[in-house]
Amino acid sequence: LYNYGILLRGNTFQLYSVDNLGEKKAKTIFKQLARVLNYLDSKNVCHRDIKMENILIDKELNIKLIDFGSAIIQEEKKLVK
């Protein structure tokens, strides 16, 4: 289990501990991730590599999902194998 993620600070990246986020911040991040995944699903995109290292967070707790190298476009109404 990964306990670290990447925080954007200007043009640099900084490692942060997920354990120190607190419930309120974690909830904010999780809600955004759920919205991102819902949007991708609406476009039939499956990321297939969701992990902390692929979620960038800026100082206002806005997220960016990165590394779509494993992503695929699904045919509608079919499960991804």
Side-chain angles (χ1 to χ4, degrees):
L1 183 64
Y2 297 102
N3 291 325
Y4 294 93
I6 300 170
L7 180 65
L8 288 170
R9 292 214 186 261
N11 292 331
T12 61
F13 299 102
Q14 177 182 345
L15 207 58
Y16 68 89
S17 172
V18 176
D19 297 331
N20 295 331
L21 277 179
E23 185 177 344
K24 187 176 180 181
K25 288 179 181 178
K27 197 178 205 182
T28 298
I29 292 166
F30 185 79
K31 283 181 183 179
Q32 289 181 71
L33 182 59
R35 284 194 296 266
V36 167
L37 295 176
N38 187 53
Y39 175 78
L40 291 174
D41 185 57
S42 76
K43 301 296 182 187
N44 298 322
V45 174
C46 182
H47 187 281
R48 302 194 322 170
D49 194 21
I50 304 294
K51 58 187 175 186
M52 288 306 303
E53 290 88 350
N54 291 337
I55 303 170
L56 300 182
I57 304 171
D58 68 15
K59 63 182 177 180
E60 285 87 30
L61 297 181
N62 298 307
I63 71 164
K64 290 189 186 293
L65 186 60
I66 63 168
D67 192 2
F68 282 78
S70 298
I72 60 167
I73 303 212
Q74 318 174 120
E75 293 182 39
E76 288 192 47
K77 301 187 184 201
K78 289 195 175 184
L79 295 176
V80 176
K81 293 181 180 180

